[in-house]
């Protein structure tokens, strides 16, 4: 059972984020895109890895503003310098304390929207991306989120692309998991899923809480294991070499992303991946 203290803290955090966004921009849309960028250097000059995420998030924000200007774009940020924050001009910024890896996406469920489409900062949209298909997926009160299943037969979803509903039930599920990390039950539910936050989110939201994004409606090409040559081929002319895909997930922990982000600029036409072409 979620303790009264935990519930009160979740409510206070949720209200704080809501108030901050309302003060910044006035009336909110009911749906929003979101991403996450944080630095462990707490306001000092960002590491090369963080700069790559900042660069990619900047391009993602510009692309979202171009293809869907009617929905809000919110970047949850932590530990960034003022220079780093300035890079994210296409996003509304919501500042949080630097989170633990396992809980770095919890703030998504405190955003004051009916639905939020979260994209990892290293997701790159193609020119023909069908984001409208994702928003138009049928929903009901039972489903708390839509996601892509992790390959390999494991009953897990990938936390890099989430269409979620920030409901009280979802926040309660997250609070329950956060308070029971040492329990045997948590270990059983999470051990089949890789990652940090992905492990926790899969423990919080079971098979009845989420449904997959159908590949017929939206497809992501994951490039974590791609070579430099393969990456250049796929991303040639802004992704047009792979017209059947709506987005590419570069995975900045991979070798390929080092080449992709090295020449990153803010040009939407070149998809911010100058060195890969």
């Amino acid at each position: 059972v979620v303790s009264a203290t935990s519930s009160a803290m979740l409510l206070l955090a949720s209200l704080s984020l809501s108030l901050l966004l309302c003060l910044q921009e006035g009336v909110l849309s009911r749906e929003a895109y979101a991403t996450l960028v944080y630095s462990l250097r707490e306001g000092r000059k960002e590491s090369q890895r963080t700069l790559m995420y900042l660069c990619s998030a900047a391009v993602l924000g510009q692309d979202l503003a171009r293809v869907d200007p009617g929905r809000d774009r919110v970047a949850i940020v932590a530990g960034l310098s003022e220079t780093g924050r300035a890079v994210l001009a296409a996003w509304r910024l919501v500042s949080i304390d630097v989170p633990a890896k396992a809980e770095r996406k919890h703030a998504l469920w405190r955003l004051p929207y009916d639905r939020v489409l979260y994209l990892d900062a290293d997701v790159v949209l193609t020119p023909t991306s069908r984001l409208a298909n994702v928003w138009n997926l049928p929903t009901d009160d039972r489903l708390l989120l839509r996601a892509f299943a992790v390959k390999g037969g494991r009953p897990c979803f990938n936390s890099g692309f989430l269409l979620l509903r920030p409901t009280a039930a979802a926040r309660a599920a997250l609070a329950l998991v956060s308070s029971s990390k040492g329990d045997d039950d948590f270990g059983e539910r999470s051990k089949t899923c890789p990652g940090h936050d992905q492990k926790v989110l899969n423990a919080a939201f079971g098979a009845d809480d989420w449904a997959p994004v159908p590949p017929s409606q939206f497809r992501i090409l994951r490039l974590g294991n791609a070579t430099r040559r393969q990456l250049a081929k796929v991303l040639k002319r802004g992704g047009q070499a792979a017209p059947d895909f709506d987005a590419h997930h570069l995975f900045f922990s991979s070798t390929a992303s080092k080449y992709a982000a090295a020449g990153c600029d803010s040009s939407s036409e070149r998809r911010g991946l100058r060195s890969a072409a």
Side-chain angles (χ1 to χ4, degrees):
V1 179
V2 182
S3 68
T5 301
S6 298
S7 299
M9 291 179 65
L10 279 172
L11 177 61
L12 180 60
S14 180
L15 290 174
S16 297
L17 287 180
S18 302
L19 179 60
L20 177 60
L21 283 169
C22 290
L23 288 175
Q24 286 178 336
E25 297 291 341
V27 179
L28 297 162
S29 64
R30 300 184 66 181
E31 298 175 332
Y33 296 96
T35 195
L36 168 69
V37 185
Y38 69 95
S39 171
L40 299 178
R41 297 191 176 189
E42 290 287 356
R44 294 177 289 143
K45 184 178 180 180
E46 284 78 12
S47 66
Q48 184 61 37
R49 178 183 176 86
T50 302
L51 289 173
M52 289 195 299
Y53 275 107
L54 276 169
C55 181
S56 186
V59 175
L60 176 61
Q62 290 177 354
D63 282 348
L64 290 172
R66 175 177 52 81
V67 302
D68 192 359
R71 288 185 172 91
D72 290 349
R73 299 173 304 281
V74 178
I76 298 172
V77 299
L80 298 181
S81 67
E82 288 303 314
T83 301
R85 292 169 63 91
V87 172
L88 301 175
W91 299 87
R92 294 179 176 180
L93 302 187
V94 172
S95 298
I96 62 173
D97 293 333
V98 176
K101 281 187 176 182
E103 299 181 357
R104 56 190 169 189
K105 292 177 182 172
H106 282 29
L108 292 169
W109 278 267
R110 299 197 296 267
L111 293 175
Y113 297 94
D114 292 341
R115 293 194 299 170
V116 173
L117 180 53
Y118 169 81
L119 301 92
D120 272 355
D122 51 2
V123 171
V124 180
L125 301 177
T126 64
T128 56
S129 184
R130 299 170 298 168
L131 286 169
N133 286 1
V134 181
W135 288 111
N136 290 333
L137 289 173
T139 58
D140 57 52
D141 292 338
R142 177 181 63 86
L143 292 179
L144 296 179
L145 59 88
R146 289 267 189 173
F148 288 97
V150 173
K151 292 183 177 180
R154 291 169 293 194
C156 302
F157 59 83
N158 185 291
S159 64
F161 186 97
L162 302 170
L163 179 63
L164 61 98
R165 296 194 299 124
T167 63
R171 289 189 290 272
L174 287 171
L176 180 61
V177 166
S178 295
S179 64
S180 62
K181 288 181 184 176
D183 296 351
D184 292 339
D185 183 51
F186 171 80
E188 287 299 316
R189 286 182 293 164
S190 64
K191 68 182 181 181
T192 59
C193 300
H196 298 286
D197 59 83
Q198 190 164 279
K199 185 185 296 289
V200 173
L201 294 179
N202 274 275
F205 305 118
D208 294 335
D209 298 321
W210 71 280
V213 177
S216 61
Q217 300 301 307
F218 198 89
R219 296 183 68 198
I220 294 181
L221 178 62
R222 291 177 171 82
L223 297 171
N225 298 319
T227 65
R228 182 178 184 180
R229 180 170 295 183
Q230 290 170 331
L231 183 69
K233 181 179 179 180
V234 169
L235 298 180
K236 186 178 181 181
R237 295 186 302 277
Q240 295 178 23
D244 294 334
F245 290 91
D246 299 281
H248 306 125
H249 198 172
L250 295 178
F251 295 105
F252 275 156
S253 60
S254 69
T255 301
S257 68
K258 297 176 183 177
Y259 299 108
C264 183
D265 59 29
S266 59
S267 169
S268 181
E269 180 181 356
R270 296 300 297 274
R271 325 307 308 154
L273 295 167
R274 184 174 56 200
S275 64

